[in-house]
Amino acid sequence: MKRSEVDRSKLSPMMQQYMDIKDQYDDTIIFFRLGDFYEMFFDDAILASRVLELTLTGKQAGLDERVPMCGIPHHAYASYVDELIDKGYKVAICEQLEDPKEVKGMVKRDVIQVITKGTRIDSNMDSKDNNYIANIYDFNYCFGVSYADISTGEVYATLVEGDNDKVIKEITRNGFKEVIVNDTIDREIVEKLRTNHEIMVSITKEEYEEKDYQYIYKNIEDVRIVKTLKHLLKYILDNKKGDLHHLQPCQIIKSSSYLEFDSNTMRNLELVETIRNRERQYSLLWLLDKCKTAMGSRFLKYSILNPLTSKEELERRYDFVSLLSTEFILRDDLITSLEQVYDLERLVGRITYGNLNAKDLIQLKNSVGALPRIKDILIQLKYDKKIDTFEEVYSLLDKSIEEDAPFTLHEGGLIKEGYNEELDELKRISSGSKDFILEMEKEEKERTGIKNLKVGYNKVFGYYIEVSKGQTSLVKDEFGWERKQTLSTGERFTTPVLKEKENIILGAEEKIVSLEYKLFMDIREVIKRYSKSLQQTARIISEIDMLQAFSIVSDNYKFVRPTLTDDKTIKLIDCRHPVVEQVMKEQYIPNDIVMDHTTNILLITGPNMAGKSTYMRQCAITVIMAQIGCFVPCKEATIPIFDKIFTRIGASDDLVSGESTFMVEMKEANYAIQEATENSLILFDELGRGTATYDGMSLAQAILEYIHDKIKAKTLFSTHYHELTVLEKDLKHLKNVHVSATEENGKVTFLHKVKPGAVDKSYGIHVAALAHLPDSLIKRADEILSVYEKKSVKKETFTQTSLFELTEQESTPKKNEVEEKIKEINPLEMTPMEALSFLYELHKNTKNNK
C-alpha cells in the first residue's frame, strides 16, 4: 500500500499526525517515535526494511488493511541512521515533544532534526576527517562556493571564476559529501556531480534572512559571498533545527594564499588516499600523520589539500619544527599531554547543539585538565600563540559529573555526591529505603519461618515478597500479606508497609533521575559560554599537534629544512619519494632534481619501470611538503614558492562520461596550459601516448614548445618519443635527463638513477620478459624488432619553435604500400602482440595484392 493511495479521512489520529509530518519531508525517511521505538510506515517502511534488513510487518491505522510498518529500538537508532546515510538517504528524527504520562489524548510530535551526509554531528563520525556540507551559488558569470563542518563549526567560502568544469573541480578536490545548489544553476553541473562523482545534491532557492547567525558573515564585504553563505545557512538551519551557535565566523579562501591543484593532481600524487584502494594507508597523509589528537589529524589533511604561499608563515612553521627537534625532551612532554586531549572541536559542537552525554563532559574535563601543562611547555618553547586553560570549566566538571556515568541521560548516575544538597537528600532516602527492604526480608523470614522467601522488584509489579511453590502452604492469613501474582514457580505477595516503602523509593528515584537531568543540562549551559574560547584553543592545539608530527617524521626519516628562494631555482639533492622509500623492501635510490633559473623543462627519457613517474611525483610531493611547513626528503633542498601544480600521470578512460584516454589527456593538458603561470609546476607523464605515434609526438612537441615559449613554468615531461630529445638544441630552457638501465646478456637492470642526457631505447621487450610472457613470444618479438630496427627510417623531428609561423610540410611521394606502412609505425612503441598483428596484416595484404 502506498501513502498516495490512502483515504485520509479513515485514518486513525496517530496515523493522521504521521501523514501531516511526512508531507513536509517527502524526500526523507521519517523515524517516527512511538514509545520505546522509532517506526516507519508505507514507502519508508518498505525501503528501510530492505536496506536495513528489518522485518516488514503491518499496523492498524483505521483502514481496511494494515499499512506497511517496520521499527527499531529508540536507544539503538544511531547505527541504523549511519547505514541509511552512507547509502545516500536522508533521515528525519520525529520525537515525542510531550511526556505521555502527563498528556491526555494525542502526544505532540515533530521533526527535531534531519540527518544527511553533510549534516551529521554525532560521535560515530570518522574522527580524522572533516565532514563538510557545501553549496554552489550560480551568479551566471561566476560561482559562489561555501562549506561548513557542522560537527566542528568551521565555515569557509570562496568565489570560483570560470566554466562549469572549474567549479566541479573545486567541489571534487575538497571531497564534499553533500552539495546544495540554487535553482538557476546549470543542470549539467548537478548531473555531473550526481552521476560522475556520486555526490548528494539538493536544489533550493531559499536563503537565510534572520539575525541570529549574522555574525558568520557580518564582516564580509563581498555581497556574492554573503548571498552564498545565506543560501547554505538556510539549508543547514532548516535541517538541524537545534542551537548551532558553535558555527564560527566565515573564513574567506583566497586562491593567492594557497598552492592550487585539482582532484586529478591530488589523486595522482596520492596525497590523502591511494589510487588503487582509495585508502588512507600509504598516502602522504598516512606518512605524515603522527598527530596525537583528532583535531591535529584533520588540520594536517586540510593543510595538505591547502598548502600555503606565504613565505613568512612557512618560515614560522619551519622554525617551530626545528625547535621541537632540538628540544626533544619538551617535545616528548608535549606529546604525552596531547595524548590526553580529546576532540575539543566536536565536543563543543555536541555541547552547543545538545546531543551530548556525560561521557562527552568527562572527555572535556580530561582535555582541559591537560591544558595547563601544554601551556607551560609552549611558554618554554616561546610559541607565538597562547591557549586558555579553563580552570573554571575543569573545577565545575570535576565536582559535578560522575566518572563512570552512563551514556543515557535518563537513568540517573550522572551527578556526584556533594554537588547538590537536594539530590544528596533524595539519594539518602532512596538508599535508606533500600536498606529497609533488606532488613524487612530478614525480619519476615524470622517472623514467618519461611527461610527461602525473598523481597524483590521489577518495573511492572514493583516490590514484592516471593515464596516458592513448595513453601506456599506455610503462608498464613495472620501474616497480613496480600496475593499479588501467581507464577509457575511460586507466589508473590505485598504488604501495606511494603507498599508505603515502594512509593517512597520509587518517588525518590524518579525525582533523582529528573533532578540529575536538570542539573546536567544546567552544567551544559554553563559550559556553552566557553564555546568560542574552547574553539580558539582547539585551533591552536591542532596546529601544535601537526607541527610536532612534522618534527617527529623529520627526525625519523631524515628530512631537511628547505630553503625558500625567489629566483625560480629548484635544487633537490638526493631527493626521495617519502612514501615509496618507507614502503619498498629494497634500498631506495635517491636522485637530484636540479633546475636553475635558466632551466624550465626537464625532458625525461628512459625505460618503463625505471622510475620516471616516481621521479616526477617526488618533486611535486617535496614541493607540497615544503609549502605546508614540513621538512622535506632530501639532503639539501632549495625551492621557490609555487602558486599551482598540474599533473597528467597515468592513463585512464573516463568511462562515466564516455571520454577516451586521449580526450582526458588533452583536457587535462589544456587545463594546465590555460591556468599555469611562470610560478607553476607542471608534471606531464608520457603525454600523447593515447593516439597514433606521430600524432602523439607532434602534440607533445607542440605542448613542450608552448610551455617553453609562452608559460615558462617549471615542467617535468617524461616521454618515450626519443625523437623529442633533439629539442634540447633549439629550446634553450629545456634539458634532457634519463633514467639509466644496463643490459647484459639480454637482461636489463634498472638502476633508478637519473642522469643528464637522453636515451634512445625503451627496453619494452625486456619489461615484457619481466612480466613473464612466454619465452617463445619474447623471442619472436625480438626477431620482429630486429627487422624493424634495420628497415625503419627515423623521421626527423621538426624543431621550429615559433609557434604561430609553422609551415606545412609537404607529404613525401608514395613508393610502395608496404614501405609506407612500415614508415607509419614506431617499433619501439609497439607491444609484442601489436608487432605480431602488424606483421600478419602486412603478410596478408602482400598476398592479396599479388
Side-chain angles (χ1 to χ4, degrees), residues 530-573:
Y530 295 87
S531 292
K532 298 302 177 188
S533 298
L534 283 166
Q535 286 176 325
Q536 290 169 5
T537 293
R539 281 196 294 274
I540 296 170
I541 294 290
S542 301
E543 183 187 58
I544 294 165
D545 196 13
M546 181 183 76
L547 295 178
Q548 71 77 19
F550 289 168
S551 172
I552 292 292
V553 296
S554 297
D555 287 354
N556 290 349
Y557 305 140
K558 296 181 173 55
F559 295 168
V560 299
R561 177 172 180 158
T563 300
L564 301 177
T565 180
D566 297 323
D567 68 355
K568 288 193 68 180
T569 296
I570 298 178
K571 185 180 180 183
L572 307 178
I573 305 302

Side-chain angles (χ1 to χ4, degrees), residues 174-213:
N174 286 283
F176 299 137
K177 295 177 172 65
E178 182 177 6
V179 176
I180 318 305
V181 299
N182 64 323
D183 58 333
T184 60
I185 198 167
D186 187 338
R187 289 303 191 268
E188 180 193 22
I189 295 175
V190 176
E191 193 59 31
K192 282 189 175 180
L193 290 176
R194 285 175 175 167
T195 305
N196 296 14
H197 303 286
E198 297 181 347
I199 294 174
M200 175 184 280
V201 181
S202 300
I203 302 173
T204 175
K205 65 179 178 180
E206 296 184 59
E207 298 172 28
Y208 176 75
E209 298 296 348
E210 307 299 323
K211 294 183 178 180
D212 267 6
Y213 294 90

Side-chain angles (χ1 to χ4, degrees), residues 798-817:
F798 185 69
T799 56
Q800 166 70 38
T801 60
S802 178
L803 292 169
F804 304 105
E805 298 176 7
L806 298 179
T807 59
E808 189 173 320
Q809 296 186 40
E810 293 183 1
S811 58
T812 307
K814 284 188 177 181
K815 295 181 180 178
N816 65 61
E817 191 175 339

Side-chain angles (χ1 to χ4, degrees), residues 263-270 275 617 647-649:
S263 57
N264 293 319
T265 297
M266 181 178 74
R267 185 174 61 253
N268 289 334
L269 298 179
E270 299 186 306
I275 295 173
R617 285 188 174 99
T647 65
R648 173 59 197 172
I649 301 174

